Amino acid sequence: IEEDEKLTLTEKIKKEKESAEEKKKKSMVAWGETGEKKSFGLIGFVKFTFPRLWKGSCFNKFIVVFNFLMTFAVKSCKVVTPLILKYAIDAIICDRQAEDSECPSEQQTYILIISYACAKFGEDLINNLREIPYANMAASAEISIAHDVYDHV
């Protein structure tokens, strides 16, 4: 304790950094050496998860493809929905008394509002439909990973 009190602040920080590096090194070594470079980026993530997602019957493979397609559909709806809302708001606040303004008709304004509601509903519906088979796919992947991890026990 007396030795720690005699250290300067810089020395204490350096000592803590060394201790943290040693703990990190012990943690990485504890998982065992597989001979491959440890990578936690996108490529490493895909290499680790994709074989587990693709395992199983034809139905499981269909679920994986279905989820990827539904994810792109949800993202597309999330982009389109605010654009429709912008056009609907522009149509609502358009100044019809101005001589040079080209305002949409009342019917076109209602169509834009209904289009926004449909796009928002579609976005939520597609996202919820995507979640149903995803639960099965995620559970299968988790079971596969658990078997790989605890296989030695």
Side-chain angles (χ1 to χ4, degrees):
I1 297 173
E2 293 175 15
E3 192 175 308
D4 285 341
E5 292 175 1
K6 293 179 183 178
L7 295 175
T8 65
L9 182 60
T10 334
E11 291 171 337
K12 287 180 182 179
I13 292 172
K14 185 178 179 183
K15 189 175 180 180
E16 286 179 17
K17 282 184 181 178
E18 289 172 357
S19 174
E21 285 294 323
E22 187 177 320
K23 286 180 183 178
K24 184 178 178 182
K25 186 177 179 183
K26 282 182 183 178
S27 173
M28 292 300 287
V29 171
W31 285 98
E33 196 58 42
T34 59
E36 62 185 43
K37 181 182 174 188
K38 288 182 172 71
S39 171
F40 302 107
L42 179 62
I43 294 171
F45 172 75
V46 170
K47 282 181 181 179
F48 179 76
T49 56
F50 191 73
R52 286 161 178 79
L53 292 175
W54 204 247
K55 236 181 222 184
S57 66
C58 185
F59 179 71
N60 286 351
K61 293 175 183 173
F62 169 76
I63 288 174
V64 171
V65 172
F66 176 77
N67 273 310
F68 280 116
L69 294 176
M70 293 300 269
T71 301
F72 287 118
V74 167
K75 296 301 180 185
S76 299
C77 284
K78 285 186 182 283
V79 169
V80 170
T81 302
L83 295 174
I84 295 173
L85 179 62
K86 179 214 179 288
Y87 289 125
I89 290 173
D90 287 347
I92 291 170
I93 63 173
C94 186
D95 187 14
R96 298 188 194 292
Q97 277 74 29
E99 293 177 20
D100 61 341
S101 69
E102 294 181 20
C103 296
S105 69
E106 197 172 302
Q107 182 181 10
Q108 290 171 331
T109 303
Y110 285 125
I111 289 172
L112 284 170
I113 294 169
I114 292 169
S115 298
Y116 169 73
C118 290
K120 188 69 175 158
F121 176 76
E123 173 187 326
D124 291 338
L125 178 70
I126 292 171
N127 195 30
N128 289 330
L129 287 175
R130 182 184 61 86
E131 290 293 327
I132 294 169
Y134 179 76
N136 182 28
M137 182 180 80
S140 297
E142 288 171 7
I143 290 169
S144 172
I145 292 170
H147 281 297
D148 288 350
V149 171
Y150 297 111
D151 211 21
H152 67 281
V153 176

